[in-house]
Amino acid sequence: MRTTIFIRILLAALLPLLVVLSLVIATINVIVYRNSTDFAREAAVAAARQYSRSLTEKITSARSMMRVAAGALSNLDYTSPKARNRPKATIASVIQTDPTIYSAWFAIEPGLYPDGLRYYQTIMRGPDGVVEIHDISDEVLADPDKSVWYNQPLQTAKPYLNLIQEYDYGLGRGKETIAEVAYPFWSGDKVAGVVGVDFKFCDLYNTADFEFAEGQKFKLVSGSGQILSTDGQKTSGASLFDNGVEGRQDLAAALSNNETYFAEISSPVTGEKSFICLLQVELELGEENLFLYLDVPVDQLYARANLNVELIYSTAFF
């Protein structure tokens, strides 16, 4: 009898302590979970920003090389054999310097070479290494509508950047989604020709450098939502909104308005609840906007937060 009474007294004394302890542990869990999920979202945004800066740096680097190449090709005496070899040597150096550049080319207006002809040449990365091709006819170069990448810098004497262009290099891969950078070069006070590079979006970056959560997907998308590449792999030109925009109107509006976007919504790609991050890749040239899109399923993004909560409960009660 006395033992029973003692147990009851002990339980009565311990019950408030257990309630208080449970409340403290629950409060700690809420704080830990909130801090862990905040940290996970911040890590995702930080990775996306770092990725975006990396893309900006690579495209800016290509532009800088073209500016240097244009300077090297300006005011040459093309009656000299040494000068005649300079354009080819210049684009060969460019493609050897930057592994993300897929092809480099030059075109020189008629009248500079002794024979009076227009010259064009491309060096590109083929399946078995770097190859030389002459895939553009004089007729195409002379037509502004068929060779905007050449005629626009030629006529405006300004740099040219086309962020989204589909082109078939004739290597059996079909059309590749590429960006083009071109700079004019001079002979006296006249534009003598244009030098440029192409790079494929799927070659621009290595997602392994930015891994922070299982199931994450980085995509490059246009302002219209066209997917240009996914985790460095070629895509077939699908859109973020092939499955509709319902529930994703704010994301579509952010693309249209060139705005940054962070939210947990139903993924437009997988349909899962995901943390979505959208950042514009900052560039100074080009009419088409380029965006970095990050998609991470929330159960993967918050996996560590859930584990922290489980560890606190197991430590406290077991």
Side-chain angles (χ1 to χ4, degrees), residues 22-202:
S22 297
L23 289 174
V24 169
I25 292 172
T27 301
I28 292 173
N29 265 332
V30 169
I31 294 172
V32 168
Y33 184 79
R34 183 174 61 241
N35 289 343
S36 297
T37 54
D38 287 348
F39 178 80
R41 286 191 294 270
E42 289 170 3
V45 172
R49 291 192 188 282
Q50 184 181 0
Y51 218 152
S52 178
R53 285 194 296 269
S54 173
L55 292 171
T56 298
E57 289 168 2
K58 288 184 177 181
I59 296 174
T60 301
S61 173
R63 288 176 48 205
S64 297
M65 279 195 294
M66 287 302 93
R67 186 161 51 243
V68 171
L73 298 181
S74 291
N75 298 315
L76 295 179
D77 178 7
Y78 286 96
T79 61
S80 161
K82 185 177 180 180
R84 287 201 295 270
N85 293 329
R86 179 74 67 81
K88 180 180 176 181
T90 298
I91 62 173
S93 175
V94 165
I95 203 168
Q96 289 166 4
T97 300
D98 190 340
T100 65
I101 290 176
Y102 188 59
S103 71
W105 54 270
F106 71 87
I108 299 176
E109 280 292 272
L112 291 179
Y113 278 89
D115 58 14
L117 300 177
R118 176 185 283 114
Y119 275 81
Y120 174 87
Q121 187 170 24
T122 295
I123 296 179
M124 63 176 297
R125 300 183 191 280
D128 302 315
V130 174
V131 296
E132 298 179 16
I133 59 173
H134 300 267
D135 60 337
I136 302 296
S137 68
D138 189 74
E139 179 185 355
V140 170
L141 290 174
D143 188 336
D145 295 328
K146 293 181 180 178
S147 54
V148 178
W149 40 269
Y150 174 61
N151 279 278
Q152 184 168 313
L154 186 72
Q155 300 300 327
T156 64
K158 294 180 179 179
Y160 171 78
L161 172 62
N162 183 1
L163 283 177
I164 302 170
Q165 174 70 27
E166 289 189 336
Y167 189 75
D168 189 342
Y169 288 94
L171 298 176
R173 301 174 184 170
K175 289 186 176 181
E176 307 272 7
T177 304
I178 63 169
E180 303 167 315
V181 178
Y183 269 72
F185 56 91
W186 300 79
S187 177
D189 59 355
K190 294 178 59 177
V191 176
V194 180
V195 61
V197 292
D198 302 343
F199 42 89
K200 297 187 297 181
F201 286 108
C202 58

Side-chain angles (χ1 to χ4, degrees), residues 250 253-261 278-280 291:
D250 290 346
L255 274 172
S256 299
N257 298 325
N258 304 328
E259 296 174 346
T260 299
Y261 176 85
L278 183 74
L279 292 172
Q280 185 174 3
F291 292 86

